[in-house]
Amino acid sequence: MDVLGYLVLLPIGAYLFFNVLYLLVLAVAGWLGSDDERSLPKQPSRIRRMAVLIPAYKEDRVIIDSVQANLRQTYPASSYDIFVIADSFRAETLQELAQYPIRVLPVSFEQSTVQKSLGYALNALPENDYDIVVISDADNHMATDFLERINLAFDGGWRAVQGHRVAKNTNTSVAVFDAMNEEVSNHIFRSGQRAVGLSASLIGSGMAFEPATMKRLMGRIRTVGGYDKELEINLLLEGVSIAYLKQALIYDEKVQNLEVFERQRTRWIAAQVHFAKVYAGTGIQQLFQGRFDPAFAFIKALILPRTLLLAALFFSVLLGLVTQSASILIPALALSGTLLVSMFISIPGYLWQKISISDILTFPLLVFRMIRSLLKVKTAQKKFIHTPHGETPAGKEKTKV
């Protein structure tokens, strides 16, 4: 390969190195840092009133089951209310929801988004009636002590909290890898970031905030998808740090088939690209001012999704083999190995026990779907892509019991 070729590859190699190093440092830190919950009081000074907001778009299949599960809190029933923001629900679902001790807010938008539903609900909440707003998802099941742990965090002085979202299902190969991906993100971007003194990253559900702060910041968000990224950086710009409660579990339905996986990842990548564009100036400015929390909220958006990063390193290894260039092959192999180690140490043991041969064979298809999702990013930035829950796995993916 000539000098020009190496000059082209040098910045690409530097970018891949930055990605791998960032993930490695936080993956190791995740094992060394202490849990935010260890510093919290054992008993609350008071029982705060909470509003649990559940934005749901055409989620008739899962919402009843979720409501039933979320009403099983050990937190005093008189101190929390569940609000289902029912966007485009069937009439019979609304009738069934009316039988439960919850509040239903039927809504309909020309272009539905999560932030529109949340904004509507926040404006509908009685002024000063709630101390905490909790954000769940239509398919999420809060552990029975979830609200108790949230209350303790606010007792400890936190104003924004991210709970530990874990897999509710691992019934297909796609779901297993989705569950693994979630736990890697938990370990790196929540446990790891807290270990090095940064705020935990938000993930869209299992979150809790002061109502007034949440309402004010949600009014600033204009993105079609990925509102949690904008909410996170705006919290940090206001000096509101975000705790991570590893023991506060909220169970989330994992994607069960390749089609829904591709749609979901398209939406996520589009949100990440949009965020990086909009907040580039802000992130750089915050970095030079030494405000590392909001700066790293932006820097994190420059990190490739791990599946795409693996694919990029794989093609780098192939390029090194084809060109017989040791200066390409050796760094590519080293970075690939380092990335795999970072991911392996971030995955909890119980998920390794669920891996089968069929799961491993599915992984290349996930990589292909991730690459293909890049072609749809432009469309996703203009239109919200809904990923349905409660879908029945199809065909040969129906392998897990």
Side-chain angles (χ1 to χ4, degrees):
M1 184 174 291
D2 58 20
V3 175
L4 181 60
Y6 282 114
L7 289 176
V8 172
L9 291 176
L10 186 60
I12 297 175
Y15 174 63
L16 295 177
F17 175 77
F18 163 72
N19 275 257
V20 174
L21 179 63
Y22 188 94
L23 295 175
L24 174 65
V25 169
L26 291 181
V28 173
W31 284 106
L32 304 177
S34 61
D35 196 322
D36 282 330
E37 287 174 299
R38 293 181 183 178
S39 61
L40 297 180
K42 300 301 180 184
Q43 297 295 328
S45 61
R46 66 189 180 96
I47 302 298
R48 293 165 179 81
R49 282 194 40 81
M50 300 192 200
V52 180
L53 306 185
I54 305 179
Y57 174 72
K58 294 184 177 180
E59 297 286 11
D60 302 81
R61 294 187 182 186
V62 299
I63 194 62
I64 301 299
D65 189 38
S66 294
V67 165
Q68 291 173 341
N70 291 327
L71 285 171
R72 299 188 189 117
Q73 290 294 301
T74 52
Y75 202 67
S78 60
S79 295
Y80 77 96
D81 293 314
I82 293 177
F83 293 80
V84 174
I85 308 114
D87 187 350
S88 305
F89 272 38
R90 295 194 298 264
E92 54 267 33
T93 305
L94 294 175
Q95 290 175 359
E96 190 169 357
L97 284 171
Q99 301 174 18
Y100 294 92
I102 64 170
R103 305 188 185 186
V104 181
L105 303 176
V107 297
S108 181
F109 304 104
E110 185 176 344
Q111 184 183 32
S112 295
T113 63
V114 174
Q115 54 266 36
K116 286 181 181 179
S117 289
L118 288 176
Y120 180 91
L122 288 166
N123 287 324
L125 292 182
E127 199 74 26
N128 302 319
D129 202 17
Y130 297 97
D131 304 299
I132 301 173
V133 169
V134 176
I135 309 300
S136 186
D137 203 356
D139 63 294
N140 288 174
H141 292 183
M142 296 182 292
T144 55
D145 62 349
F146 185 82
L147 296 184
E148 284 188 1
R149 294 181 181 277
I150 294 295
N151 188 52
L152 284 174
F154 278 75
D155 226 41
W158 292 98
R159 300 167 57 196
V161 174
Q162 174 63 62
H164 184 180
R165 204 167 75 178
V166 296
K168 188 169 65 178
N169 62 297
T170 52
N171 57 318
T172 71
S173 298
V174 176
V176 169
F177 281 115
D178 198 18
M180 285 185 164
N181 182 66
E182 180 100 277
E183 288 292 19
V184 170
S185 292
N186 284 330
H187 182 80
I188 291 175
F189 297 123
R190 281 164 270 288
S191 292
Q193 287 184 185
R194 291 298 302 126
V196 299
L198 298 173
S199 285
S201 292
L202 297 179
I203 198 171
S205 68
M207 313 179 295
F209 310 97
E210 293 175 323
T213 302
M214 176 71 172
K215 184 177 179 179
R216 182 177 66 257
L217 296 185
M218 285 299 295
R220 300 177 187 174
I221 294 173
R222 296 292 180 268
T223 183
V224 174
Y227 80 95
D228 51 322
K229 298 180 186 298
E230 288 198 57
L231 178 59
E232 177 184 329
I233 197 170
N234 279 292
L235 280 167
L236 301 179
L237 287 170
E238 289 201 356
V240 180
S241 299
I242 305 168
Y244 175 50
L245 304 186
K246 192 174 181 178
Q247 305 305 318
L249 302 180
I250 184 164
Y251 298 92
D252 177 69
E253 182 182 305
K254 296 293 101 184
V255 172
Q256 300 183 54
N257 61 67
L258 290 167
E259 185 62 35
V260 176
F261 173 87
E262 182 177 331
R263 292 171 64 184
Q264 184 187 69
R265 266 45 181 191
T266 299
R267 189 180 79 233
W268 287 2
I269 294 172
Q272 184 171 338
V273 171
H274 170 82
F275 177 83
K277 288 180 180 178
V278 172
Y279 286 92
T282 301
I284 294 170
Q285 180 186 49
Q286 295 297 306
L287 182 62
F288 280 110
Q289 291 178 356
R291 299 190 66 199
F292 295 113
D293 240 357
F296 274 86
F298 163 72
I299 290 172
K300 182 183 60 183
L302 303 179
I303 302 296
L304 280 174
R306 291 177 295 275
T307 308
L308 292 179
L309 183 55
L310 273 173
L313 291 172
F314 174 74
F315 286 122
S316 299
V317 171
L318 286 182
L319 179 62
L321 290 171
V322 170
T323 60
Q324 297 183 338
S325 171
S327 58
I328 295 176
L329 181 60
I330 294 175
L333 286 171
L335 290 176
S336 298
T338 303
L339 177 60
L340 289 173
V341 169
S342 301
M343 294 172 67
F344 287 159
I345 67 174
S346 301
I347 298 172
Y350 79 93
L351 284 176
W352 286 116
Q353 298 174 13
K354 297 181 180 293
I355 285 287
S356 67
I357 296 298
S358 63
D359 297 330
I360 296 172
L361 294 176
T362 300
F363 186 71
L365 297 176
L366 293 176
V367 175
F368 171 73
R369 292 284 186 149
M370 278 290 291
I371 295 173
R372 199 168 76 167
S373 68
L374 293 173
L375 303 176
K376 303 176 181 178
V377 165
K378 195 170 183 180
T379 300
Q381 289 177 332
K382 299 177 181 178
K383 181 181 179 181
F384 178 71
I385 298 178
H386 174 57
T387 49
H389 299 105
E391 294 293 300
T392 303
K396 60 183 179 182
E397 287 185 298
K398 205 170 183 178
T399 56
K400 292 250 168 223
V401 180

